[in-house]
Amino acid sequence: FPPLGLGYILSYLRQYGISASLVDCTFLSEKEALEMVKNSKPKIVGIYSMFSMKCPAIRMAKILKKNSDMLVAGGPLPTLCPEDFLEDFDVVVVGEGEETMLELVRAVENQRPLSTVKGIVYKKKGDEAEVVYTPPRELIEDLDSLPFPSRDLFDNKSYKNHYRRRFGYTITSIITSRGCPFNCDFCSRAVFGNRFRVRSAANVVDEMEGVRTLGYE
């Protein structure tokens, strides 16, 4: 499946005039992904991680450290265990990333202290390297206010080929709600929380129509 979480963050940043690109690693080798990031010469690099991705995320961060001004970790595992990532990342985003990443980019642009950005964890520079947790970010209540994920940045051709070979038709994923009120043992609900929030039916259908224009069946 495409990295919809990163797609949402990218579309949100672009909406506010931030120059941003996405490396969809689904069909790439680690070497290819690293080369694409290096070639884009980014000031800020964000890497998504869940439990199964921790080792490659940290490995890539170690390699990219000298290629950017700031490394940011986000996703379920960094949200749950932010301090595990602070040896190799400069900042960890806790929870939903759209508003937090915009504030973080603005803080870097305007040379404001990181302490002004809600929903992050970082180490203070100095001998003791104190870990700082800023106030938590409020959940986004109106999901219809978010722009659709930047699907133009996904490797849509490879996704369609994959599913056509596997099922005989093409499919992709859509996030229609955030949060869950239940308590399944296998789920941390780290990013979206335990309050259920939904998009309107019209908003979901509008995204489905956009997906169809990309050639998905």
Side-chain angles (χ1 to χ4, degrees):
F1 295 115
L4 287 178
L6 291 176
Y8 268 108
I9 291 171
L10 262 290
S11 61
Y12 196 79
L13 293 176
R14 290 162 112 189
Q15 177 179 263
Y16 286 91
I18 306 297
S19 173
S21 59
L22 184 151
V23 177
D24 180 355
C25 299
T26 306
F27 300 99
L28 297 177
S29 68
E30 192 171 300
K31 182 180 178 182
E32 289 171 326
L34 287 166
E35 283 304 309
M36 288 179 70
V37 176
K38 290 175 184 176
N39 290 339
S40 70
K41 296 180 171 57
K43 289 185 177 179
I44 300 173
V45 173
I47 299 178
Y48 169 91
S49 182
M50 59 174 92
F51 180 78
S52 59
M53 299 175 180
K54 181 180 180 181
C55 290
I58 288 175
R59 188 166 61 242
M60 292 177 82
K62 289 179 186 293
I63 296 169
L64 292 171
K65 214 167 184 68
K66 61 180 180 293
N67 295 97
S68 67
D69 296 341
M70 178 179 286
L71 281 172
V72 182
L77 191 61
T79 291
L80 276 175
C81 313
E83 295 186 33
D84 289 357
F85 288 80
L86 287 179
E87 184 176 334
D88 301 290
F89 289 84
D90 301 298
V91 176
V92 173
V93 170
V94 174
E96 292 175 313
E98 291 91 352
E99 294 175 345
T100 303
M101 279 303 297
L102 177 62
E103 267 194 36
L104 183 59
V105 170
R106 294 292 193 221
V108 172
E109 283 181 337
N110 300 313
Q111 298 183 320
R112 292 201 325 265
L114 294 178
S115 59
T116 63
V117 180
K118 285 184 177 180
I120 63 170
V121 181
Y122 64 96
K123 275 185 181 177
K124 260 187 183 176
K125 291 180 180 175
D127 296 333
E128 296 184 13
E130 175 194 351
V131 175
V132 177
Y133 285 71
T134 66
R137 169 82 49 188
E138 298 84 359
L139 293 172
I140 297 169
E141 294 295 337
D142 181 10
L143 299 184
D144 284 6
S145 69
L146 294 172
F148 300 146
S150 296
R151 293 178 185 271
D152 58 303
L153 300 177
F154 299 155
D155 187 358
N156 291 294
K157 182 178 178 181
S158 295
Y159 287 111
K160 286 185 285 187
N161 288 341
H162 171 79
Y163 282 108
R164 196 174 286 115
R165 285 194 305 269
R166 188 169 181 183
F167 298 127
Y169 53 86
T170 60
I171 63 171
T172 192
S173 51
I174 292 177
I175 296 173
T176 61
S177 64
R178 293 187 178 186
C180 179
F182 299 107
N183 292 293
C184 300
D185 290 341
F186 57 81
C187 181
S188 68
R189 298 173 296 174
V191 174
F192 293 146
N194 60 4
R195 194 166 73 255
F196 187 58
R197 292 159 288 145
V198 297
R199 294 167 55 191
S200 68
N203 186 253
V204 173
V205 170
D206 285 345
E207 184 178 1
M208 292 170 69
E209 289 176 341
V211 167
R212 287 299 300 270
T213 67
L214 295 171
Y216 288 94
E217 297 164 336

